[in-house]
Amino acid sequence: TSKHKNLLDEKTQQIILLRASGMTLEEIGELKDVTRERIRQIESKGLHKAFSYENHIWTTQFHPEFISDIVKEYVKINKKNR
């Protein structure tokens, strides 16, 4: 299981958790000193990587209370992109 700990880098995990906590792309961008578009790209790539990971082992990356928020955010993002 230790090889699964590095599925997402720390920066990507942090961005996903901040988004799940309700922060906007712009707020996170200001915090990280990058554009909101770059935050969106990092979040999208990270969520895609996490959800496409074999057998969904990605759940070991997060504390259980964050998983439902992350799933909700992923669904919301995918609906916007269709």
Side-chain angles (χ1 to χ4, degrees), residues 15-26:
I15 288 170
I16 291 171
L17 293 175
L18 289 171
R19 287 286 287 151
S21 74
M23 288 184 75
T24 65
L25 294 171
E26 192 157 337

Side-chain angles (χ1 to χ4, degrees), residues 7-32:
L7 176 61
L8 300 177
D9 62 55
E10 187 175 333
K11 175 178 67 176
T12 302
Q13 288 184 44
Q14 190 176 47
I15 288 170
I16 291 171
L17 293 175
L18 289 171
R19 287 286 287 151
S21 74
M23 288 184 75
T24 65
L25 294 171
E26 192 157 337
E27 290 170 333
I28 299 169
E30 289 174 6
L31 182 69
K32 299 289 185 184

Side-chain angles (χ1 to χ4, degrees), residues 3-71:
K3 69 179 180 176
H4 305 305
K5 291 288 183 190
N6 295 324
L7 176 61
L8 300 177
D9 62 55
E10 187 175 333
K11 175 178 67 176
T12 302
Q13 288 184 44
Q14 190 176 47
I15 288 170
I16 291 171
L17 293 175
L18 289 171
R19 287 286 287 151
S21 74
M23 288 184 75
T24 65
L25 294 171
E26 192 157 337
E27 290 170 333
I28 299 169
E30 289 174 6
L31 182 69
K32 299 289 185 184
D33 198 30
V34 295
T35 66
R36 64 187 300 277
E37 176 59 18
R38 182 66 187 132
I39 295 298
R40 188 199 63 75
Q41 291 168 353
I42 293 168
E43 177 191 32
S44 178
K45 184 177 178 181
L47 288 171
H48 178 76
K49 184 176 184 179
F51 272 85
S52 62
Y53 193 69
E54 184 178 3
N55 297 323
H56 301 285
I57 295 172
W58 66 274
T59 55
T60 61
Q61 290 281 306
F62 303 102
H63 298 289
E65 62 267 17
F66 291 116
I67 293 172
S68 65
D69 289 336
I70 292 168
V71 170

